[in-house]
Structures are given as structure tokens and as C-alpha cells.
């Protein structure tokens, strides 16, 4: 990771912890509509519009790949997506016979090595009331809470569609998931899970050979998915920083205080990216306590959890 990102993110966290209210009416978008961190897919009117703020490079051949770079105001990330297994392959192995399981193992030995951590990540991303009780919390629920914490003054800067499912909620969901997976496990695992998800949705992301209908589909086409790739990468960068700050690992005991501070640090990046004030979490918040309990059980009593 670039040194500039490390320094800037460190300064960001210290600044926001002292004076978060200064962001209430600050717009950080430049004249081209780009933000210095995460992206909001609903702010782009077309795939061509998105390409004004991204560099998308396709590599053809036996091993095709796409590299997506986002740079703005001195900050940059780069995400590379190769061909490989998808979430559909995971589902076939889970629901199918021995042949499906062997096929996945042969195509992706990494899945076999990290199977338990992939399962843990899946559990974090799903509401599982049967296993964790009524009102179980997932990454998506945290994303909704982030959106609900946005100060009303943001309505002066953003349109109604930005507060929709495909706006802040989707952006926060991708960032939150990648922060936790990267901080608890590794950046590589975060990449592996995110890439398997994106490849399952639109395989053409790797080649750029989209149909007109795909390009026109702003909610589920290349625009939406390339935004997801960028936000996944930002989430991984934040995850590495918070891992270093809190010394996170799969054996971490998640107290309510640690969880609230961790979530507030993620919100700090989002506040900086979009120039908005986002109200903080508190240790006594129900959502904080529930997700802390869930993470502790996932890592302390993993074998007792059935899917």
C-alpha cells in the first residue's frame, strides 16, 4: 500500500476524532464529480460517465484480466480481476455431490485451505436468526445503520437516489464487509471472496465485452460492478489500517467498546469520502452489542454453528 495513503488515513482518523462536526456541510467532490475515497454508484448517469473517473485496462489472451484504477485528489487504489471460480461454484460444491466438491478443489486449492474462514465470512454477511437469535446482524444491517447515521444536512449535497439501496447502502455494505474480512483474516481472502462475487454476476467484467443491455443497466451492469470493485479495494485498505491499529485477528475478543470504535473508524473514512457528517456508534447500542457477540461466537464456537 502506498505510504501516502497510510499517512493520510492516520491523519484522517485523528482529525475526525477531534472535530467530526466540521464535516457537516463540507463537499469533497471535485469538478469532475470524483471523491477522494469510496464511490457512490448512483452519482453516475452512464457507464461512460463512470469511466471519466476510473482507468479501466483489459488484458486479453489465455489469462484475461481487468485492472480498475481510481485516483482523485492525490489518493489512488487499483483493483485487478482475473478469471477464476465464482460464488456459483461454491454453491454447486455445497449442494452437489463429491464431483462438484472435487472440481472446486482442483480449480481453487485456496478454497480448501481457507474453507473455514470463507464460511465465517459468509456467516457475517447473512442474517441468521436461527443460529444467533432474533434480530441477528449482518454486514448489510451495519450498512443500513451507517446510512441512517448520516446527518440530514447531507440532503443538500446528494439526491434522493443516493440514499437508495444502490446508493450509500450498497457502498457501505461493500466497504464494511471488506474491512472486517481483511482485518480479521487477510487482504488476500478479502480479494478472493469479493472477486468470486463479482465474477458470478457479470463474467464480462474481465473482458469488457458487454452487450448494450448490460451497459444500459445502471443498477446491475458494469457501472454498478466496477464501482463495487473500487469500493472493495478501499475497504481492504481501511481493513489493513484498522488491523494495524487494533491488532485484529480471528482470536480477538470483540468487546462492545472495541466494536463501536472499529465501526466509527470505518465511518470516518466514509465521512471523509463523501464530505458528510455521520453520527457515531456507542458501546451500548444494540446493533454494536449484537454484532460483537456474533463475531465472538463465530470464532470461539465455530463448530457449533450449522448453516
Amino acid at each position: 500500500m502506498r505510504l501516502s495513503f497510510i499517512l493520510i488515513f492516520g491523519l484522517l482518523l485523528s482529525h475526525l476524532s477531534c472535530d467530526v462536526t466540521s464535516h457537516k456541510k463540507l463537499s469533497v467532490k471535485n469538478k469532475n464529480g470524483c471523491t477522494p475515497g469510496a464511490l457512490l454508484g448512483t452519482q453516475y448517469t452512464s457507464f461512460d460517465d463512470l469511466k471519466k473517473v476510473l482507468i479501466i485496462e483489459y488484458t486479453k489472451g489465455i489469462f484475461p484480466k481487468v485492472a480498475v484504477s481510481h485516483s482523485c485528489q492525490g489518493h489512488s487504489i487499483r483493483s485487478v480481476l482475473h478469471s477464476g471460480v465464482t460464488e456459483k461454484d461454491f454453491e454447486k460444491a455445497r449442494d452437489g455431490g463429491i464431483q462438484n466438491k472435487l472440481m472446486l478443489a482442483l480449480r481453487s486449492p485456496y478454497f480448501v485451505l481457507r474453507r473455514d474462514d470463507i464460511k465465517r465470512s459468509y456467516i457475517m454477511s447473512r442474517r441468521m436468526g436461527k443460529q444467533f437469535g432474533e434480530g441477528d446482524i449482518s454486514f448489510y444491517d451495519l450498512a443500513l445503520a451507517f446510512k441512517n447515521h448520516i446527518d440530514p444536512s447531507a440532503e443538500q449535497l446528494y439526491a434522493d437516489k443516493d440514499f437508495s439501496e444502490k446508493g450509500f447502502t450498497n457502498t457501505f455494505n461493500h466497504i464494511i464487509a471488506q474491512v472486517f474480512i481483511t482485518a480479521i483474516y487477510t487482504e488476500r481472502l478479502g480479494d478472493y471472496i469479493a472477486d468470486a462475487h463479482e465474477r458470478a454476476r457479470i463474467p464480462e467484467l474481465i473482458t469488457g465485452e458487454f452487450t448494450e443491455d448490460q451497459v444500459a443497466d445502471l443498477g446491475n451492469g458494469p457501472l454498478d460492478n466496477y464501482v463495487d470493485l473500487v469500493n472493495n479495494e478501499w475497504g481492504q485498505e481501511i481493513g489493513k489500517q484498522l488491523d494495524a491499529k487494533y491488532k485484529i485477528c480471528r482470536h480477538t475478543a470483540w468487546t462492545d467498546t472495541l466494536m463501536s470504535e472499529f465501526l466509527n473508524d470505518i465511518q470516518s473514512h466514509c465521512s471523509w469520502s463523501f464530505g458528510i457528517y455521520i453520527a457515531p456508534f456507542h458501546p451500548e447500542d444494540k446493533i454494536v452489542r449484537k454484532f460483537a457477540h456474533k463475531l465472538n461466537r463465530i470464532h470461539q464456537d465455530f463448530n457449533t454453528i450449522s448453516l
Side-chain angles (χ1 to χ4, degrees), residues 56-61 64-66 81 83 202-210 214 226:
I56 304 176
E57 303 169 291
Y58 300 101
T59 300
K60 309 292 185 178
K65 65 180 180 180
V66 59
L81 182 65
S83 58
I202 304 183
E204 294 83 5
L205 290 172
I206 298 170
T207 64
E209 298 172 355
F210 306 111
Q214 286 176 319
Y226 284 134

Side-chain angles (χ1 to χ4, degrees), residues 131-171:
Q131 293 82 358
F132 295 93
E134 185 178 355
D136 180 45
I137 303 301
S138 66
F139 290 144
Y140 177 75
D141 295 297
L142 294 176
L144 288 176
F146 274 39
K147 187 193 74 169
N148 292 335
H149 283 186
I150 295 175
D151 190 84
S153 63
E155 295 174 4
Q156 302 173 27
L157 302 173
Y158 294 93
D160 289 344
K161 63 181 180 179
D162 298 326
F163 294 90
S164 69
E165 182 78 11
K166 282 296 184 178
F168 284 114
T169 303
N170 184 61
T171 290

Side-chain angles (χ1 to χ4, degrees), residues 173-189:
N173 192 30
H174 279 266
I175 290 174
I176 291 167
Q178 287 299 309
V179 171
F180 275 98
I181 294 171
T182 299
I184 297 173
Y185 308 115
T186 63
E187 180 182 14
R188 182 181 178 186
L189 185 68

Side-chain angles (χ1 to χ4, degrees), residues 61-73:
I62 300 176
F63 302 106
K65 65 180 180 180
V66 59
V68 182
S69 301
H70 174 223
S71 299
C72 189
Q73 299 183 22

Side-chain angles (χ1 to χ4, degrees), residues 65-289:
K65 65 180 180 180
V66 59
V68 182
S69 301
H70 174 223
S71 299
C72 189
Q73 299 183 22
H75 317 295
S76 63
I77 56 89
R78 187 170 186 265
S79 177
V80 179
L81 182 65
H82 303 263
S83 58
V85 297
T86 74
E87 285 182 342
K88 295 178 182 178
D89 296 310
F90 300 162
E91 293 168 359
K92 289 178 182 178
R94 181 193 63 196
D95 302 330
I98 187 65
Q99 183 176 355
N100 298 105
K101 293 176 173 58
L102 286 174
M103 183 63 68
L104 177 58
L106 289 172
R107 291 186 61 197
S108 181
Y110 185 75
F111 177 87
V112 179
L113 292 173
R114 303 305 299 271
R115 179 178 55 190
D116 286 349
D117 288 340
I118 292 171
K119 181 180 176 181
R120 291 184 179 99
S121 300
Y122 175 84
I123 293 171
M124 284 187 274
S125 71
R126 296 292 187 272
R127 294 170 177 164
M128 302 182 68
K130 182 178 179 181
Q131 293 82 358
F132 295 93
E134 185 178 355
D136 180 45
I137 303 301
S138 66
F139 290 144
Y140 177 75
D141 295 297
L142 294 176
L144 288 176
F146 274 39
K147 187 193 74 169
N148 292 335
H149 283 186
I150 295 175
D151 190 84
S153 63
E155 295 174 4
Q156 302 173 27
L157 302 173
Y158 294 93
D160 289 344
K161 63 181 180 179
D162 298 326
F163 294 90
S164 69
E165 182 78 11
K166 282 296 184 178
F168 284 114
T169 303
N170 184 61
T171 290
F172 294 158
N173 192 30
H174 279 266
I175 290 174
I176 291 167
Q178 287 299 309
V179 171
F180 275 98
I181 294 171
T182 299
I184 297 173
Y185 308 115
T186 63
E187 180 182 14
R188 182 181 178 186
L189 185 68
D191 252 338
Y192 182 83
I193 292 173
D195 290 353
H197 173 73
E198 301 303 336
R199 281 192 292 259
R201 301 186 67 186
I202 304 183
E204 294 83 5
L205 290 172
I206 298 170
T207 64
E209 298 172 355
F210 306 111
T211 66
E212 291 183 3
D213 288 342
Q214 286 176 319
V215 172
D217 187 351
L218 303 185
N220 297 290
L223 185 155
D224 176 67
N225 285 270
Y226 284 134
V227 166
D228 290 347
L229 283 176
V230 169
N231 289 335
N232 288 338
E233 199 70 28
W234 278 112
Q236 290 163 22
E237 295 297 330
I238 301 166
K240 288 187 289 186
Q241 286 301 298
L242 297 188
D243 176 24
K245 178 178 179 179
Y246 295 106
K247 309 300 181 186
I248 300 296
C249 69
R250 62 173 53 80
H251 304 297
T252 295
W254 287 87
T255 65
D256 298 342
T257 297
L258 172 59
M259 180 60 72
S260 64
E261 291 178 352
F262 194 87
L263 292 173
N264 287 336
D265 280 348
I266 303 174
Q267 284 194 156
S268 292
H269 173 86
C270 298
S271 178
W272 167 68
S273 291
F274 301 115
I276 55 179
Y277 173 72
I278 307 179
F281 288 93
H282 303 284
E284 62 271 19
D285 292 345
K286 186 175 181 180
I287 192 170
V288 169
R289 292 187 287 107

